[in-house]
Amino acid sequence: MSLFSLAFYGFFCAALYYLVPRRFRWLILLALSYGFYVSRAFSALPFILATTLSSWLGALLLARMSNRCKARLHADSSLSLDEKKKIRAASKVRRRILFLGVLVLNFGLLAVFKYTDDVLFRASPLGLILPLGISFYTFQSMGYLIDVYNGKYAPEKNPVKFALFVSFFPQLIQGPIGRFDKLGPQLTASHDFKFETLQRGALLMLWGLFKKLVIADRALPLVDAVFSAPAGAMGGASIVAGVLFYSLQQYCDFSGGIDLVSGIAQLFGIELAENFRRPYFSVSLGDFWRRWHISLGAWMRDYVFYPFALLKPVNRLSKAAKKHFGTAFSRALPAALGNLLVFFLVGLWHGAQMHYLLWGLYNGAILAFTALMEPVYKRINARLPRLTASKGFHLFRVLRTFLVVNIGWYFDRCAHASEAMQMLRMTLFEPRFAGVAAELSGLLIPADYMVLALATLLLFAVSLAQERGVHVRSVILSRPLPVRWLIYIIGIVGVLLLGVWGSGFSEASFIYYQF
C-alpha cells in the first residue's frame, strides 16, 4: 500500500464511518482496522489476536482476583490481623504470577521475532518476518495490563472494544504508543462530522506527506551512499554531511509518518498521543528525548524508570552512596542508573546488534552524568543568572545538544559498531575538506539539493513558528476560503511534483517499521 493509497484509505474509512448509524461507528472502525491488517499481513493475524486476547483476559482476571480478595476480607469480620495479611499476600502472589506470565508471553513473542536470528541463528537465520506493528501494539497492550495491575483504572470488559484499542489501523505502522485511558474512550465514542476537523486532519496528512516524500526520501540516496561506502572511501567532512542528512531524513521520515497517521485519526475526530515536539530545538539531551518519540519515552519513564528507581536494592545503594559521596549524589544516583537502564532497553528495542546497544548506552551515560552533575549546574546557573538566561546561551545549548545527538547517530545508522568508530575517527582526524564536492556531487543531482534546501527552510520556518506558540493549522483555517484553497492546491501539487516515491511505497520504507 503506497503512502497515497494509505491516505485515500483513510478518507474512504472516514466517509464510511460517518455514513453508518452512530451506535455502529466504532464497530465499522474495528472492521476497517482488521481489514487493513489482514490486507497487509494476513499471516501475522494470529499474533495480534494472541496479544489482544491475553492482555484483555489477563487484565480482567487480575481485577477479579483483587476484588475477590477485598470481598473476602470485608465479608469475614472474624479474621485476625495475621490471617488478613496472609490472604492479601497469597492474592498478591497469584496476581503477580498471572501478571508476569502475560508479560513474558507477549514480550517473548516480540523477542522471538526481533532477536532470534540476530542472537541465536546469526550464521544461519530462520528468516522470521516481523509482524506488522508488533512492537507498537505489544507495548500499548502491556502498558494497559500494567495500569490495570497497579489499579490505575478498571479493565475493559468488552473484548471487542479492547480489540479496537489494540488494532486501530493508523497507529499500526509506526505508533504512537497510546494509553487506554486516553485513547480507548475516543475510539468507541460516536464522533459527529465536523468540516473543520476534516480540514485539520487533511492538513496534517499533507504536511506529513511533504516531510516524508519531499525531504526524507530525497535525502535517502545520499545517506545510503555515505554510510555504505567502504572504510576510508570518504573523508570526514563528507561523513559529517551524511550524518546531517541522516538527521534530517530520519526526523522527516518518522515525524512525517506520525503526522500522516495522526491526521488520518483526526478524520474520525480521534487524537493520537503526541510523538514529536520539535526535538531539534532542545536545550539538553534530556529535553531532546522528551520531544522525540514521546510516547516511547513516556512508556519507558512510567513502566521502567520509576519502578526501577523505587526498588529496594536501588534505595539501599542510594543510602550507601550518601555516606561516601553526600546527599546530592545519593539522590541523583537512582535517576542516573535508571537512565542507563532505560536507554540500554531503548537500544535493545532498536535491535540486538552492538551498534544499537552502544547508541543506547551513549545516550544513557550522558543522561546519567547529567543527573549526577545537576547540583553543580544549579550552582553555576545561580551564580551567572544573566548569562544562563541570555538568548546567546540558549542558542549555545541548542547547538550543543544538536552536536551531542548527531554524534549518537553515527552508532544508530552504521551497520556495525566498528564502522561507527571508523567514521568518527575519519571525522576527527581526516576531514579532507577539499574532496567534499567531488565525493558528494554524484550522489544527488543539483535540483535535488535545491529542493532539499528550500523544503528544509520551510520546515524550519514552520517549526520555529510552532516553537513560538503559533498554531499554524489554526492560522491557515482562519484565512478566507480562496486563500485556504490556494494553500491546499499548492501543497498537493507541490507534494505530487516534488515528492519522491519511486516505483511504489510499502510500509517497510519507513525507517521505524523495522523496529
Side-chain angles (χ1 to χ4, degrees), residues 286-303:
D287 186 29
F288 178 86
W289 289 115
R290 287 187 292 272
R291 291 168 174 251
W292 180 288
H293 208 337
I294 297 170
S295 62
L296 177 63
W299 197 98
M300 288 290 179
R301 178 197 65 207
D302 294 343
Y303 304 128

Side-chain angles (χ1 to χ4, degrees), residues 196 200 203 274 277-278 461-479:
E196 182 180 350
R200 285 184 175 276
L203 277 172
E274 184 182 22
R277 195 184 305 120
R278 301 167 297 282
V462 171
S463 300
L464 183 61
Q466 292 173 327
E467 188 70 8
R468 292 177 174 176
V470 177
H471 298 279
V472 177
R473 282 188 291 165
S474 297
V475 170
I476 293 174
L477 293 175
S478 68
R479 301 298 94 183

Side-chain angles (χ1 to χ4, degrees), residues 11-67:
F11 281 113
F12 166 77
C13 292
L16 190 59
Y17 177 83
Y18 290 113
L19 285 174
V20 303
R22 297 177 63 177
R23 66 180 183 275
F24 297 127
R25 286 177 182 171
W26 70 272
L27 289 170
I28 288 295
L29 203 54
L30 176 65
L32 293 168
S33 295
Y34 269 95
F36 174 84
Y37 198 86
V38 168
S39 68
R40 301 298 299 141
F42 179 78
S43 61
L45 185 60
F47 303 110
I48 191 172
L49 290 174
T51 294
T52 301
L53 181 60
S54 63
S55 51
W56 172 78
L57 186 59
L60 205 61
L61 291 175
L62 286 171
R64 287 182 181 176
M65 292 166 70
S66 179
N67 291 335

Side-chain angles (χ1 to χ4, degrees), residues 37 41-51 104-122 125-138 348-353 513-515:
Y37 198 86
F42 179 78
S43 61
L45 185 60
F47 303 110
I48 191 172
L49 290 174
T51 294
V104 169
L105 170 65
N106 285 280
F107 283 123
L109 277 175
L110 177 62
V112 165
F113 283 100
K114 284 181 70 73
Y115 309 122
T116 300
D117 284 349
D118 290 332
V119 177
L120 299 179
F121 297 96
R122 185 176 299 177
L126 301 177
L128 297 178
I129 299 175
L130 195 68
L132 175 64
I134 187 171
S135 287
F136 301 107
Y137 70 66
T138 298
L348 185 63
W349 177 76
H350 282 76
Q353 297 89 344
Y513 176 78
Q514 64 186 304
F515 304 134

Side-chain angles (χ1 to χ4, degrees), residues 156-179:
E156 172 57 60
K157 295 182 180 179
N158 189 326
V160 184
K161 290 183 177 180
F162 183 73
L164 176 57
F165 167 71
V166 178
S167 65
F168 183 47
F169 77 91
Q171 64 187 5
L172 284 175
I173 296 175
Q174 56 177 14
I177 302 167
R179 303 294 179 91

